[in-house]
Amino acid sequence: MAETENVVHPTISSQKRSMIPDRPTLIRMLSSALRIPSGDNCQPWYFRQETDKLLIFHDESRGQHALNRASHASMLSFGCLAEALIMSASVESLNAEVTPLFATEMPEEGKPWGELRFSVSFERVHPLVVALINRSTDRRLYKGGDLSEAVFREIATDALLFSNIELRLLPRAECSQPFLDYVTQIETSCWTTEPEQQDLMKWIRFSDSDAKNTRDGMPWRTLGISFAESRVLKLAKSFATQQVMNKAGFLGQTRKLIQKQVLSSAGLVSWVTRHPSAASLYAVGRLAFRAWLRLVKAGYAVQPMTLSSLYFYSMSTNALKDAPVLPLLKEALPTIRQTFSLSQDQFPVWTLRTGLSEPLPPENRTFRLDTESLLK
């Protein structure tokens, strides 16, 4: 490997004094770290400063979403945040230690999810931090790629550091039609169920002014659709209208697009586990974010395929209950196990599609909330 940095968080020695940087330093560091992904770019994180540490909180009002079952998607984002904080702190000549404040269960509402402590560092700047500014979700068609390239070996090496997590690489040539049929159905299920569709529409920004004013959500350009298609989608703010559009061809066209997206990729990168717990979600979030940055540095674009993977995790914990997608998940489970070579007690947690691509245009990027307002 070209890089040998360790994915495990650095541990602060008891002889090193924990300290809080001044506010301008904190703002710079947090602004860089908060480029992480979150569901629909809801950005559900804020921080409270104490004497010798920062507490990390999950904003329940922002994270609440029909697709964020039991906050599972938020826990993946929290793992991304931990990695980004360590990387961003290194630019400020700081060691950062993120300590999750939970064991196996999800954190209680209103309680901090983690604490962040700092000490002075004389180590080099983290080699992946340069990719932070260019990290984004890219829903365009890609230009192929090769999963045998060195970057995927680096990603595989990272995954070995967590005994409860395994990596699966799926070349596009091994995406069978039954597998593609499942992916296209599950990834469009949000358009066929009212709670999911209504929550999703809340986060789509159909005008530039709305996107700039809210500084959250997904500007329509980030969805990989044309302006004309975005105007059609805007009509679906009512679920009754969405149902009419689905029958008129919206659903079929969207499924065709998703299949094209997968087949234009180098393939899929997926993390699996046999241990459903908050700790497993957190670990996958850390690994996936590190992989995302590695791929960006190597000229690869990334799009999460969250529903087709995380729903299996949520099903394993009974978080889906009587969700309409349950029959589809159960029917597809043998195909998923065969496709990813999973044992009977393993299931996917998070999957990314990736492929070679030109840099994403600035107008296709999402905005970020003002960091000052997030540091209490």
Side-chain angles (χ1 to χ4, degrees):
M1 288 173 55
E3 301 164 350
T4 58
E5 78 279 4
N6 197 317
V7 74
V8 175
H9 291 320
T11 300
I12 297 177
S13 166
S14 59
Q15 295 181 350
K16 291 184 177 180
R17 183 173 62 86
S18 178
M19 43 80 76
I20 287 287
D22 58 41
R23 191 173 181 90
T25 302
L26 281 176
I27 294 298
R28 285 196 306 272
M29 184 198 71
L30 293 177
S31 296
S32 175
L34 288 170
R35 297 176 186 274
I36 59 166
S38 57
D40 295 344
N41 192 34
C42 66
Q43 303 175 57
W45 306 110
Y46 67 94
F47 306 84
R48 191 173 73 204
Q49 184 172 337
E50 298 201 341
T51 304
D52 61 347
K53 62 187 176 184
L54 285 182
L55 293 178
I56 306 169
F57 288 86
H58 179 254
D59 187 333
E60 302 291 338
S61 63
R62 285 187 165 273
Q64 186 175 18
H65 197 299
L67 297 176
N68 188 17
R69 299 283 182 148
S71 294
H72 289 164
S74 286
M75 185 56 73
L76 291 176
S77 179
F78 182 52
C80 295
L81 177 61
E83 283 295 314
L85 287 168
I86 290 171
M87 294 176 191
S88 298
S90 73
V91 178
E92 305 293 342
S93 299
L94 295 171
N95 278 325
E97 180 184 18
V98 181
T99 304
L101 299 179
F102 54 83
T104 58
E105 299 297 323
M106 297 297 293
E108 295 181 21
E109 184 173 347
K111 300 289 186 180
W113 282 33
E115 64 179 32
L116 179 61
R117 294 177 182 270
F118 302 95
S119 62
V120 175
S121 170
F122 300 100
E123 302 295 326
R124 63 192 177 110
V125 172
H126 197 291
L128 293 179
V129 76
V130 295
L132 261 175
I133 193 170
N134 292 321
R135 188 220 63 83
S136 60
T137 294
D138 189 340
R139 297 180 177 88
R140 300 175 300 175
L141 300 183
Y142 301 156
K143 298 179 180 179
D146 188 348
L147 297 189
S148 68
E149 287 192 23
V151 63
F152 296 99
R153 294 194 294 273
E154 294 167 359
I155 291 169
T157 300
D158 286 341
L160 295 176
L161 295 167
F162 290 91
S163 60
N164 60 329
I165 305 298
E166 293 183 19
L167 179 73
R168 296 291 188 271
L169 299 177
L170 181 67
R172 70 172 182 273
E174 296 179 16
C175 293
S176 67
Q177 194 57 52
F179 173 73
L180 290 170
D181 290 343
Y182 160 72
V183 170
T184 58
Q185 289 182 67
I186 201 72
E187 291 288 335
T188 55
S189 63
C190 55
W191 302 114
T192 63
T193 308
E194 185 169 9
E196 284 84 347
Q197 189 267 355
Q198 288 292 284
D199 280 353
L200 181 57
M201 292 298 289
K202 292 175 185 176
W203 292 102
I204 299 177
R205 307 297 179 228
F206 289 101
S207 71
D208 293 342
S209 60
D210 192 17
K212 291 177 181 177
N213 289 336
T214 61
R215 305 200 66 79
D216 59 15
M218 302 174 291
W220 67 265
R221 289 185 178 85
T222 69
L223 302 179
I225 59 178
S226 67
F227 177 76
E229 289 169 328
S230 75
R231 298 311 95 177
V232 172
L233 182 59
K234 187 177 180 180
L235 298 174
K237 288 193 174 182
S238 158
F239 184 65
T241 305
Q242 180 73 62
Q243 290 177 302
V244 173
M245 290 172 52
N246 288 345
K247 293 178 181 178
F250 174 87
L251 205 57
Q253 289 300 315
T254 304
R255 287 174 177 171
K256 288 180 181 179
L257 172 60
I258 291 172
Q259 179 161 315
K260 287 181 180 179
Q261 288 173 331
V262 174
L263 294 179
S264 74
S265 309
L268 304 179
V269 182
S270 188
W271 290 267
V272 305
T273 188
R274 54 171 55 90
H275 302 289
S277 67
S280 291
L281 289 172
Y282 175 70
V284 169
R286 289 175 55 190
L287 289 172
F289 188 70
R290 177 170 287 238
W292 202 322
L293 297 189
R294 288 193 185 279
L295 289 164
V296 167
K297 284 187 67 176
Y300 279 78
V302 173
Q303 177 189 356
M305 308 294 286
T306 304
L307 299 188
S308 57
S309 48
L310 187 58
Y311 266 165
F312 281 110
Y313 176 92
S314 297
M315 181 174 70
S316 75
T317 64
N318 295 318
L320 290 183
K321 298 181 180 177
D322 298 324
V325 295
L326 272 178
L328 174 58
L329 291 169
K330 292 176 180 178
E331 180 183 355
L333 188 54
T335 298
I336 297 302
R337 284 176 174 156
Q338 181 180 13
T339 300
F340 288 105
S341 301
L342 303 182
S343 62
Q344 291 295 311
D345 60 346
Q346 286 181 312
F347 40 86
V349 181
W350 206 10
T351 296
L352 309 178
R353 82 169 179 104
T354 187
L356 295 169
S357 183
E358 299 297 325
L360 197 65
E363 62 269 21
N364 283 35
R365 297 180 180 276
T366 53
F367 292 95
R368 288 295 180 270
L369 297 172
D370 174 56
T371 307
E372 286 275 3
S373 67
L374 302 177
L375 179 57
K376 312 297 183 182

